[in-house]
Structures are given as C-alpha cells and as structure tokens.
Amino acid sequence: MHYNLARGVNLDVIPTKQFKANQILINFTTPQTHTNATARNLVANVLETSSKKYPTQTALARRLAQQYGTYISMGVGRVGLLHTVRLKAGFINDQLAHTNLFDQVIALIREILFNPLASDGAFDQATFARQAHNLGATINSYYDDKQFWAARRLLDLYYADDSVMQTPSFGKASEIAGLTAQNLYPVYQSMIEDDRVDILIIGDLDEQEVIRAIQQLPFNDRQIDLGQIIYDQRPYRQIQRQVEYQQLSQAKLNLGYQLPIHYGHALYYAGLVFNGLFGGSPYSKLFTNVREKASLAYYASSRLMPFNGLLTVQTGIKSSDARRVEELINAQLKEVQEDNYSDQRLNEVKAGLINQYRSGNDLAGNLLERQLVRNLLGVQQADIPAAFNAVTRAEIQRVARSLKQQAVYLLSGEN
Amino acid sequence: MEKYFYQDFNRSTYHQQLANGLNVVLMPMPGFNKTYAMMTTNFGSIDNCFVPYSGQEPIHVPDGVAHFLEHKLFEKKDYDAFDLFGKLGADSNAFTSFTQTSYLFSTTSHLHENIDILLDFVQQPYFTAQTVQKEQGIIGQEIQMYDDDPNWRLYLGMLGNLYPHDPMHIDIAGTVESISKITPEILMENYRTFYQPSNMTLLLVGNLDPEETIKWVVANQEKKDFAPQEKPDRRFKLNDPTGKDVIPFRSLTMNVNRPKVMVGIRGLKSFDDGRARLKYKLAVDLLLDVLLDDTSDNYLRLYDEGVIDDSFSYNLDMQRAFYFAYFSTNTDQTEKFADEVMRILEDADQQIDQAAARFEGVKRGELGRLIGLLNSPETIGNRYAGQLFDGANLMDEVRMMRTITLDDLKAAAADFINPDGMSVYQIVPQHQ
C-alpha cells in the first residue's frame, strides 16, 4: 500500500511472509548538479559511520550486532538526471530473533538520519576527515577495475561536455579537497529537509505497526518538483573516438549508441527485447557471434540505460582485433535492423526476460527498487510478462533502426 | 526419501540416494517463484593426479582440466545445452572451484524439462579435437582477464605462499600453456573417473514439490545405463602437512592505484567427521569476528590510524583437503597492516578474554547474517558442501552456530593459530 506522510514524503509497505528477513529502503532524491554528487556521497559515508549516540563506527556496529546482525548501509545512485542517497536496512523476522526488532531498527535509523555527529553547524572534524580520505581512496580504487574504467571513460566520451551526466553518481575524488566539515553540513540539512523522500518497507510485518512507527520520523513537507528525469542529448555528427594505453593483457573496447527509448516509452519493452537479442543475453548476437563463433572476445555484451537515452556495448579483446571487433559488432546490429533472427531466438529472449522478472520477485531488495522507480517516474505497475509477450518484430526493428553510434573507446594494452 | 522438518524455520529438506549412487537433495522454499538447481561433481582443479576409471596406475593431467571440461560439457554434436535451457527461458551456468564443479540452472517455469536437460547434458559427454581447440582460445582469454584482476592475483598469490608445492597455487583455469596440452581423450578420462553418479549430487532449492520432483529425477536416471560405480582414487597429498613449506612473504608490482596486502594463515588440524569440521569452521568464523570485526577495538584503532579502510575484509575458506583464513585491505601501510594482524592473531587467547562481554553480540550478528541468507535459493545451494560438512545445510549451520561458546573459540584458536602457518602477500603500484 502507498501512503503520503507529508508533501514529498511517501511510504510504501509490502507485507509478505515469503522472507526470513525484512528490508527497508529510504531514498532521498534531488536533481543532480555538477557539484552535489561528491558531497552527497560523503554525507552518506559520514552518516553511515557515526551519530551522536554512537560516535564511532564500532559503537554503531556493536548496536547493529546486538540487533541480530541488522545492517544499515548508505550509498548513492542515480535515476537519469536525479541524484539519490539511499539508506538500506535489513533485519531478521521477529520469530527468529525472538524479540521485536522492527521498533529497534527504526529507532536506530532515526538516530542515524536525524542525530548526526555534528555541532555548531559542522560535522565532527575527525570523522569528516577520515571519511573524506576514505571516499577519495574508494573512488580511486574503482578505477583499478579495468572494465569499470573503460565503461566510465566511454560515458565521459559520450555525454556532452557541459552535462551533469559527466559526473558519476559517486562523485569525483578531485572534488573532495574542496569539502569541509562546515560546508558539508548544509548539504546534509538540505537532503533531510528539501529532498523528496520515498520510504519502502517489505517483510513479515504488521502494516499498521509500520505506519505508526514511520510516522514518528520527523520528515516535514517539502518541494516535490524534481524537474526533468530522463536525459537525452543532441547527437554528434561524427563518432567520438578515444584510445588510451595501459599495461594490461586484455584490451577493452566499449561502444556507445544513442537510443531515445526510455523507461515508460511506448517502445520500452521492445527496447529491452532488442537489447536481449543484440547483446544483453547469452542468446544474443554479440555473445553467440562475437564471443562464441569468432572467438574474438572473452565477454561481449550490451546494456540499455533506460533513463539516459543510451545503449552501451562492452567487450574484452586483443588490442590488435579492435577494428575487426567493431565491424563485427555493427554487423550484428545490422542483422537486427534487417529483421534477421529466428522466431525461436526471439521467443528465447522473451522467455529469458520474463524468467528474470519473475525471479526478481524473490528478491526483497529488488521489489523495493522497482517500486521506487515507479514512484519517481509516476508509472503504474504493469503486467510485465504480458508486455514482453506483446512485443512485435516490427517494434524491435524500429528500435534497432533508431540506434545511432556515437562513441568508441579503446583501452589498449599495446602501444 | 528421507524428510527432515526444521520447525524453527518452518521449512523441510529431503534426501535420497538413487540406485545408481546419485545423491538428490531437495529444499522447498514456500512462497518463492524460482527454483535453483545444482548438479555437482566432487572434482575440482586440485584433482590433477589420480588413478583413472578402471585403470591401475596414477596419472597426472594438465592443470585446468576440470574447468576446461566444465566449458566443454555444454557443447554437443548438434546442439548446445545452454540453448535448450534458453528456449525455456531458464538461466544456466556453471563454475569450477579447487574442489568441485557445478552445473546450474534457475527457472520460474518448466521445472521438469529443465531437470531433464541438466541431467542429460551432464551425463552425455561429447568432446572432439575441433571443439577442444576452439575452447583453448576462449579460455586463454579468460585466464588473461583474471591476470589483470588485482584481487584475484592477491588471492592466488596468497595460495602460492601457503601451498607453494600443492596444486592450489595454480589458477583454477590452468595456464595458457597447460590448457594447450588438453585433448578429447584426457577430458574423457577425467569424465569417466569423476562424473560417475556416485560422485555427484543433484540439489534443488526453491519452488518445488518434493514428491513430484524426485519422481522426475528417478525416471530420468532409470532410462540410462551406467558403468559399475568405482570410488575415484585421488592421489592428492599435501606436500608438507606440517606447513613448514609456507613462504612468509612475497610482493608483486601491478598496475593498481593503491597497494593491496593480504595476511593468510594456513590451517593444519585435520578432521574425519564432517559435523566436527563444521563446528570448528563456525568457531573460527566467530574467532575472526571477535578479533577483527567492525565491533572490535582492533578494527576501530586500525581504521582510525588509516591502516585499514572500508575495503578491509577477512574470510575463512574451507574446502576438501585444505583451509585457510585471510585478511586483506587496500592500504598505504602494508607493513604495518601485516604486523598488526599477525600480532593480534598471536595474541588471540588474551583477545578472547577481553572480548567476553562482546561475544554475545558478535554471535547474534553472525546468526542474523546467516538467517538473512535463507532468503536466497542460490546462497542456500552454493553453501551446501556435501560430505565436507556431512550434508549440513544453512539451517543446520544456524542451529550449530547457536551452540558455539567462548570455550569453543579458545579451543579453535589454540588449534588454528600457528605462527609458522602465517604469510603476507602484497601488490604495489608500479610508480612506487
């Protein structure tokens, strides 16, 4: 059930006896700007590790352990042009804990969100400094993963230079030096007071008890206009290309295609089926022809980013094969554009997507994420298996023909 | 079929050994949509020396055979098993570890047909020179990709320190050179030895009706002829069971942003009884928590001194024939990290005494985390270790965890922590 607790503050409760552990998601949403991602990530890190009552990570961790390994974690993400800070909590059912954990967990969430380790309008200096340092190190270490590196560099190449999309949701290590225990505090305040808030709870819980407990959280009315959510940009006339060199044994070739078919679009499900046929499933053209038949890649897949107007292809290859692989990838795309695949393949891809969707119903966190996205986009719950089954070949062809190759990034191992 | 009802979890498990020796374990999860299936052979990358089926003399096979066989089993003369699952919308996959190979599917429909596909493709091998050659290219790429992964290199580097003359120090996938020696004949010899039904377990977890499911499995098996079952004669022997061959320190230079360091400790005590082994494992799990989990003073101090950060983790890895614990972090103070962790380990007895007040919380934490895993058919399946823990499942683990006492921790520490078994491996950036 959906409830409105205050202007811009929503609660969804999904009661179920399926799970042995319950989950809570509290999501704070605001439009992403050029500068807020890093700061909000740091806020999430500071809140997650300290509060007035539990001033050290250890004190907090001890409280969580006492509550039978309850976890409360905070992180950041994005939905198109929106930046989100997420608090996730998980805790076992009362029958297995032999105690009422729910009220204790809500009390701890309240402590973490509303009683941060701060005074005189500034976070505790030592906590701030440590988290700032760690966040920088964490962001830098993401780039040790070469698949991640290549994926991110492709996005840098694809997104227009002045777009907020240039900044990852987790921010930039280079921006951390500009943050202080003082100037971070208003970022926190604004998140609590001005962000849109969605609270989502799933588990073996009494709905009235949940509402009663959540109403105690001091969230007030706020502005709810989030502005534009879906990102799109004018296509480049020429494909953007970049090659970088690093010492590695496997090169990464990533491609970006503009695809203006977003979540909620009439062709959205056709877009997902197209992606499954092209490179998003093990039955796809990229997997079977680039990886398996031609043995040109260890991995080759595509990914639809339905809030960003973008489809990406990622491969791990030998540097010297880059040109051949790019040609072969585009030849696979042409096949789908020319309606060249069997009905059997199409049915497999649809069956796979439906299976994935139904399997997702077994993941508590997934059910919350889906509800959150529906809330943010204002979309009703659909009969998704029926939507996949209704996709036609003509619709898939329309999707395939609307792809425009825009960016090619090669992380090469050979100079 | 034996049934066991776990009242505390309101779930049941079923077990039956079929006439051909195949073990079948069924774990229904009411309310779930998905069924997760695993067909596992007790055969992994360390099993590279054995007496082949109906043979006399032990043979050595090239490193990476188990993993290679896993890749090749999907491919048949005129179809790929992967596609058969795909037609039904099921996901399928496989993995090879040091000691087991598992073939998996997960589905929300057509369970009976999927079970038949799984049993049939695993039980009908087809290897040719041409397909073997093609696979050498694909796996060569896979090995190279792992070579670029610093976390995998760190883990494997530690195994190389702890077991320098045992097969665990070699990548599960083998090397580009070793897999070039693999032939269809070698694959078949390994297959005959280790893919006998009596060396395998079929496990199904999630949405299933046990009575109906076991009938399907039995009907499938009764249609097939199997050669007489022969217990695989492995010739695996640790080079030095006393651990005197442990290399105390090695360092690798790689293209990384920050140094990475791991402290490992090799377990020496051996067990005959699966449940005793499980109890020991859970006691050591709790011991590691008491020493260094995020509720410990040690953790807070090292975190505040910048010796560890959020990348810090530790684990006890227990498999057939070997087990070890490891602690790793990204840090600029690799030496300090290693010294601190080893000092804390050596001081375990006193540390346990000091942590007495915290023990109940640490144990609750572990209990809650284990219970949380019961939401996932995959985790329940993947955690099932067969004979290693005498058929214990996750619910047995939770029950046993409830019984562990502070004295069990002390006993486990005395057995497990041995300065000769400790080692350090680090990865440092090129520019330093």
Side-chain angles (χ1 to χ4, degrees):
Chain A
M1 275 293 282
H2 183 82
Y3 305 89
N4 193 249
L5 302 180
R7 189 151 52 103
V9 181
N10 303 290
L11 169 67
D12 287 85
V13 187
I14 309 175
T16 170
K17 295 209 179 290
Q18 185 179 353
F19 304 113
K20 302 291 177 204
N22 313 307
Q23 283 196 33
I24 299 174
L25 169 63
I26 301 184
N27 188 78
F28 297 87
T29 313
T30 193
Q32 176 152 345
T33 67
H34 285 286
T35 54
N36 65 358
T38 314
R40 284 163 62 88
N41 196 356
L42 189 48
V43 167
N45 278 277
V46 169
L47 295 185
E48 178 190 55
T49 48
S50 60
S51 79
K52 273 218 181 74
K53 195 166 167 192
Y54 305 103
T56 65
Q57 277 193 84
T58 313
L60 196 52
R62 284 180 186 167
R63 183 72 198 117
L64 288 163
Q66 283 295 337
Q67 295 179 6
Y68 286 89
T70 293
Y71 67 83
I72 296 180
S73 70
M74 294 191 66
V76 292
R78 80 184 318 150
V79 179
L81 289 160
L82 304 179
H83 191 267
T84 63
V85 173
R86 292 166 187 204
L87 178 148
K88 291 181 188 173
F91 54 100
I92 61 174
N93 291 358
D94 289 355
Q95 301 92 296
L96 286 160
H98 312 298
T99 171
N100 178 8
L101 275 183
F102 180 70
D103 285 342
Q104 297 178 44
V105 173
I106 295 298
L108 191 51
I109 288 175
R110 178 178 180 147
E111 168 71 19
I112 285 172
L113 289 178
F114 295 98
N115 199 20
L117 188 58
S119 52
D120 303 329
F123 285 110
D124 173 66
Q125 180 56 37
T127 303
F128 167 85
R130 199 156 46 242
Q131 291 306 324
H133 175 263
N134 286 349
L135 179 60
T138 303
I139 292 175
N140 282 332
S141 70
Y142 291 155
Y143 293 94
D144 283 344
D145 175 346
K146 298 308 163 195
Q147 290 191 26
F148 181 91
W149 172 289
R152 189 60 232 171
R153 298 296 278 167
L154 176 80
L155 295 180
D156 292 344
L157 197 59
Y158 173 80
Y159 291 128
D161 287 344
D162 57 352
S163 161
V164 295
M165 302 299 284
Q166 283 280 345
T167 306
S169 60
F170 52 81
K172 293 178 173 173
S174 60
E175 289 179 357
I176 291 171
L179 296 171
T180 65
Q182 287 75 30
N183 70 18
L184 194 65
Y185 194 73
V187 177
Y188 155 74
Q189 283 178 310
S190 168
M191 181 187 107
I192 293 289
E193 288 162 21
D194 306 330
D195 272 26
R196 168 171 167 155
V197 178
D198 290 270
I199 303 167
L200 304 104
I201 301 181
I202 187 167
D204 190 359
L205 297 160
D206 180 90
E207 197 155 351
Q208 294 312 312
E209 290 283 297
V210 170
I211 297 166
R212 182 194 49 73
I214 296 298
Q215 274 171 341
Q216 307 300 313
L217 296 177
F219 285 117
N220 301 319
D221 286 348
R222 61 220 39 236
Q223 273 303 327
I224 48 171
D225 182 21
L226 292 172
Q228 196 183 334
I229 300 176
I230 303 294
Y231 175 76
D232 217 344
Q233 68 183 25
R234 280 236 304 276
Y236 300 106
R237 288 213 191 99
Q238 268 196 331
I239 295 174
Q240 309 290 299
R241 289 183 181 274
Q242 189 181 12
V243 182
E244 288 186 300
Y245 300 94
Q246 282 187 13
Q247 195 183 330
L248 31 81
S249 41
Q250 195 189 78
K252 314 287 171 200
L253 177 70
N254 288 29
L255 283 68
Y257 298 82
Q258 186 170 53
L259 179 60
I261 289 173
H262 50 79
Y263 186 91
H265 189 285
L267 287 175
Y268 175 59
Y269 292 98
L272 292 175
V273 176
F274 160 79
N275 182 53
L277 281 167
F278 177 50
S281 76
Y283 309 100
S284 65
K285 298 260 180 204
L286 292 185
F287 191 88
T288 51
N289 294 339
V290 181
R291 187 192 121 121
E292 298 273 294
K293 261 189 215 141
S295 273
L296 273 174
Y298 177 64
Y299 64 90
S301 66
S302 67
R303 181 171 166 227
L304 181 69
M305 300 171 78
F307 306 108
N308 307 9
L310 174 66
L311 182 136
T312 60
V313 169
Q314 35 282 326
T315 66
I317 61 166
K318 269 212 303 255
S319 300
S320 54
D321 289 334
R323 185 174 293 266
R324 248 178 93 200
V325 173
E326 187 183 336
E327 282 169 11
L328 198 56
I329 290 168
N330 281 318
Q332 306 312 307
L333 175 58
K334 198 151 176 261
E335 295 266 292
V336 188
Q337 287 170 338
E338 292 176 356
D339 198 28
N340 199 1
Y341 52 86
S342 65
D343 276 334
Q344 186 197 317
R345 218 5 78 102
L346 175 60
N347 290 335
E348 279 170 18
V349 167
K350 284 184 178 177
L353 287 165
I354 291 167
N355 184 53
Q356 229 174 59
Y357 168 76
R358 291 202 174 118
S359 301
N361 289 337
D362 288 345
L363 300 170
N366 203 31
L367 293 169
L368 297 185
E369 290 279 337
R370 284 182 190 162
Q371 184 61 44
L372 172 64
V373 170
R374 284 197 295 268
N375 285 359
L376 290 176
L377 278 284
V379 172
Q380 289 296 311
Q381 184 158 13
D383 180 346
I384 291 181
F388 281 125
N389 282 324
V391 170
T392 66
R393 297 183 73 103
E395 287 172 339
I396 293 166
Q397 195 165 24
R398 270 168 62 202
V399 172
R401 286 182 176 166
S402 63
L403 254 71
K404 282 193 199 74
Q405 191 178 351
Q406 293 281 283
V408 179
Y409 174 79
L410 174 66
L411 181 60
S412 172
E414 292 156 28
N415 200 335
Chain B
M1 187 163 58
E2 306 154 34
K3 174 182 176 179
Y4 190 85
F5 176 58
Y6 293 77
Q7 189 164 16
D8 33 350
F9 299 97
N10 198 23
R11 284 189 192 166
S12 299
T13 64
Y14 300 78
H15 172 251
Q16 184 170 342
Q17 187 167 30
L18 305 189
N20 64 8
L22 179 69
N23 276 290
V24 183
V25 178
L26 305 175
M27 304 177 70
M29 292 167 71
F32 277 69
N33 299 281
K34 177 198 288 183
T35 318
Y36 179 66
M38 287 180 96
M39 179 81 169
T40 297
T41 164
N42 189 7
F43 168 52
S45 68
I46 67 168
D47 300 308
N48 62 359
C49 180
F50 56 89
V51 179
Y53 183 81
S54 81
Q56 302 293 323
E57 294 301 313
I59 57 166
H60 269 278
V61 297
D63 290 316
V65 166
H67 173 258
F68 202 99
L69 208 166
E70 172 229 301
H71 272 231
K72 278 293 38 113
L73 210 48
F74 281 90
E75 196 174 333
K76 305 301 182 200
K77 189 170 178 195
D78 42 18
Y79 70 94
D80 194 309
F82 208 70
D83 295 332
L84 300 186
F85 289 114
K87 274 183 201 149
L88 301 172
D91 281 331
S92 63
N93 210 336
F95 68 83
T96 307
S97 74
F98 290 108
T99 52
Q100 77 176 65
T101 312
S102 292
Y103 301 86
L104 333 162
F105 73 76
S106 81
T107 190
T108 53
S109 64
H110 306 289
L111 180 59
H112 185 181
E113 288 141 285
N114 280 303
I115 290 172
D116 279 338
I117 295 168
L118 178 65
L119 289 168
D120 291 350
F121 98 83
V122 173
Q123 293 182 330
Q124 290 161 1
Y126 174 79
F127 309 122
T128 70
Q130 192 217 339
T131 60
V132 165
Q133 198 187 358
K134 199 193 84 185
E135 201 66 34
Q136 281 158 345
I138 292 174
I139 295 179
Q141 281 273 343
E142 186 176 345
I143 292 169
Q144 286 186 345
M145 192 172 71
Y146 287 126
D147 278 350
D148 288 338
D149 177 350
N151 291 323
W152 178 242
R153 294 293 292 272
L154 189 66
Y155 179 81
L156 208 58
M158 176 50 68
L159 277 164
N161 279 5
L162 295 178
Y163 300 95
H165 306 293
D166 295 305
M168 288 80 82
H169 81 275
I170 298 158
D171 196 314
I172 290 164
T175 63
V176 173
E177 206 235 324
S178 73
I179 62 168
S180 73
K181 295 183 192 139
I182 292 175
T183 63
E185 292 72 31
I186 292 175
L187 292 180
M188 196 47 109
E189 193 146 58
N190 280 267
Y191 182 88
R192 273 198 219 102
T193 309
F194 293 109
Y195 281 70
Q196 305 178 71
S198 54
N199 195 45
M200 303 192 75
T201 301
L202 174 68
L203 177 78
L204 288 127
V205 197
N207 179 13
L208 64 94
D209 172 339
E211 302 299 335
E212 188 177 49
T213 306
I214 192 74
K215 275 186 206 145
W216 295 336
V217 177
V218 169
N220 177 291
Q221 295 298 281
E222 281 177 348
K223 272 188 265 171
K224 294 174 187 160
D225 292 322
F226 295 95
Q229 302 293 299
E230 208 176 75
K231 192 175 161 55
D233 184 1
R234 296 183 178 84
R235 293 299 168 91
F236 177 87
K237 214 172 114 246
L238 282 171
N239 172 66
D240 183 352
T242 67
K244 296 275 191 306
D245 56 353
V246 170
I247 300 170
F249 175 77
R250 283 191 303 160
S251 180
L252 172 74
T253 303
M254 248 186 113
N255 178 17
V256 289
N257 271 309
R258 292 190 75 198
K260 291 175 184 290
V261 58
M262 184 180 276
V263 173
I265 174 166
R266 173 171 160 180
L268 300 175
K269 183 182 165 101
S270 65
F271 296 85
D272 298 324
D273 177 68
R275 294 296 163 120
R277 185 182 286 118
L278 178 60
K279 184 161 186 191
Y280 178 73
K281 179 191 180 290
L282 295 177
V284 175
D285 280 338
L286 276 180
L287 168 67
L288 303 186
D289 290 340
V290 162
L291 297 181
L292 274 156
D293 82 356
D294 58 0
T295 72
S296 68
D297 294 333
N298 290 325
Y299 181 93
L300 182 65
R301 183 171 53 80
L302 295 176
Y303 196 94
D304 286 350
E305 289 172 4
V307 177
I308 61 174
D309 63 14
D310 296 331
S311 68
F312 173 71
S313 70
Y314 57 86
N315 191 28
L316 173 67
D317 193 342
M318 191 176 253
Q319 303 193 38
R320 164 168 48 83
F322 72 102
Y323 63 97
F324 68 104
Y326 58 89
F327 308 80
S328 71
T329 193
N330 299 341
T331 180
D332 297 321
Q333 306 178 57
T334 55
E335 203 171 321
K336 176 137 197 238
F337 174 80
D339 289 346
E340 287 281 357
V341 171
M342 290 195 286
R343 190 191 57 70
I344 290 165
L345 286 169
E346 285 171 20
D347 188 35
D349 212 44
Q350 264 202 297
Q351 301 262 348
I352 295 169
D353 285 336
Q354 288 162 10
R358 206 158 47 79
F359 176 69
E360 191 52 36
V362 169
K363 189 167 137 182
R364 278 189 187 182
E366 277 289 356
L367 276 169
R369 279 188 290 277
L370 285 175
I371 290 168
L373 299 178
L374 285 165
N375 279 359
S376 160
E378 283 88 347
T379 308
I380 293 172
N382 293 344
R383 238 182 137 84
Y384 181 82
Q387 297 162 9
L388 185 66
F389 300 133
D390 189 25
N393 63 51
L394 189 50
M395 293 181 286
D396 297 311
E397 275 190 67
V398 173
R399 285 179 169 185
M400 193 173 274
M401 181 62 89
R402 290 195 199 264
T403 72
I404 307 275
T405 64
L406 209 55
D407 286 339
D408 293 325
L409 255 62
K410 285 208 163 194
D415 284 328
F416 183 62
I417 296 169
N418 157 36
D420 288 343
M422 290 188 205
S423 176
V424 179
Y425 193 88
Q426 66 178 29
I427 294 180
V428 293
Q430 271 147 343
H431 52 79
Q432 286 196 345

